[in-house]
Structure formats: C-alpha cells, structure tokens
Amino acid sequence: MQAYNELYLALCQQLLHFSAAIVSSFHLAEEVVSDVFVTLWQKRHQLSHVENPVVYLYVITKNLSLNTLQQQRRHLHENLELLDTAALVIAPDAESSMISAEVSQKIESAVRSLPARCQLIFRLVKHDRLSYREVADLLNISPKTVDAQLATAVKKISQAVRFDLSSELAKSYLHLDS
C-alpha cells in the first residue's frame, strides 16, 4: 500500500497531463488516471514481471485515454500533431525555480511554439525524465526519431531563448544610455 501511494503521488500529475493531451479534457483525464491506478491496484499481484513501472503506467494511460475517446465518440488523436499541447504544461519543478521567472517564461514560450509531436517528446524526455527508448516505445516510434525530435526541440528553444535574451539585453543597454 505504501509503494502504491508513493507511485500515485510521484506520477499522478504527469499522467494527468499526458492523458489530457490525448483526450483534450482534464475532466476526462482525471477519470482515465483514476482508472489507471484502479487497474494497477487490481493487477498488483501480477506485476512482478514489469521491468519499468513508469513506462507501464504511461502505456496504460495512453491506452485508456484512447479507449475513452472511442467511448466518447470523439475523433482520435492518434496523429500526434493534433494533441492539445496546452495540457502538457506542468508547473515548474525545483530546478526551474532557480532560473529567473523571465527566462523561464521565455523557455516555456519557446517550448509551446514547437510542433505538437516535438513538444510532446521534449516534455516526456526533459520534464518526465523518460529515456529515449521509453518514449519511443510509448509513442510507437524509433529511438532515432525521438533523438532527432529532441535535437530539433533543443535547437529551436536555444535559438528562441538566445534571440529573446539578446534582444532584451540590447533594449536594456539602449535604455541605460538614454
């Protein structure tokens, strides 16, 4: 029971945001994640073969989210370009709070400007700390695709942030001289 509670506390919010990105509704996502943890509890005696419980929970969440969409007779978001990327945004963690609020906003803005699939991969690897292999398995793509998408994301984010920060420095420099 203790391990179940710790797993719930550690992953509930991440799974909620992941599901909400698929079903486009936090209300439905809450139901999905609730069902995920009920399923986990019901199958707890059969889980000794599961090598990575985090990926296992993401796969259950993805499958239950897609099933929920079918039950709701909504269009499927199998095409990752159609994901609700606003639902992927998670509150900043302790590491992010060390960065100034302005830089954090610029980074988040740059992340939001990424294509949906690229953004999803970036968030799963960087925010949720899944490995390339785990993300590849979860999204049914190759690890090389994950690597390429992540490289694209990092390049675009660094360019956007560098440009924004250099513009801000130039503005502040020009402002000081006047």
Side-chain angles (χ1 to χ4, degrees):
M1 186 63 143
Q2 177 70 23
Y4 176 84
N5 286 336
E6 288 177 18
L7 195 59
Y8 178 83
L9 291 173
L11 294 175
C12 182
Q13 287 299 312
Q14 292 170 318
L15 295 176
L16 177 65
H17 288 275
F18 180 66
S19 177
I22 296 170
V23 300
S24 299
S25 163
F26 275 99
H27 176 71
L28 287 175
E30 287 173 343
E31 291 178 23
V32 167
V33 172
S34 176
D35 290 347
V36 166
F37 282 99
V38 167
T39 301
L40 181 69
W41 182 254
Q42 291 171 341
K43 294 183 177 186
R44 68 188 179 278
H45 300 296
Q46 304 166 2
L47 299 177
S48 59
H49 69 281
V50 174
E51 291 180 25
N52 190 330
V54 173
V55 172
Y56 181 77
L57 287 172
Y58 270 96
V59 170
I60 292 174
T61 303
K62 179 181 85 170
N63 292 337
L64 287 178
S65 295
L66 291 173
N67 290 345
T68 297
L69 279 178
Q70 287 177 335
Q71 291 169 357
Q72 296 294 321
R73 301 207 188 287
R74 293 183 182 180
H75 65 285
L76 290 177
H77 285 283
E78 290 177 339
N79 180 350
L80 295 177
E81 302 302 323
L82 299 176
L83 288 176
D84 180 6
T85 57
L88 293 170
V89 177
I90 299 175
D93 56 12
E95 180 182 341
S96 298
S97 65
M98 293 176 8
I99 302 173
S100 76
E102 185 176 339
V103 173
S104 292
Q105 289 174 338
K106 290 184 185 310
I107 291 171
E108 182 57 33
S109 176
V111 170
R112 286 183 182 193
S113 71
L114 294 171
R117 177 173 152 162
C118 188
Q119 184 179 155
L120 176 63
I121 290 169
F122 178 82
R123 290 186 191 281
L124 288 172
V125 171
K126 296 298 183 181
H127 289 188
D128 297 349
R129 299 197 185 337
L130 296 181
S131 71
Y132 288 21
R133 166 61 57 197
E134 293 166 341
V135 172
D137 291 345
L138 181 64
L139 301 178
N140 298 321
I141 57 177
S142 77
K144 293 229 182 244
T145 302
V146 173
D147 185 44
Q149 290 288 305
L150 196 59
T152 300
V154 169
K155 182 179 177 182
K156 287 182 177 180
I157 292 168
S158 65
Q159 286 174 342
V161 171
R162 189 177 316 123
F163 176 75
D164 284 348
L165 290 178
S166 64
S167 297
E168 290 300 318
L169 288 173
K171 285 180 191 173
S172 65
Y173 178 74
L174 292 173
H175 182 68
L176 290 175
D177 287 343
S178 52

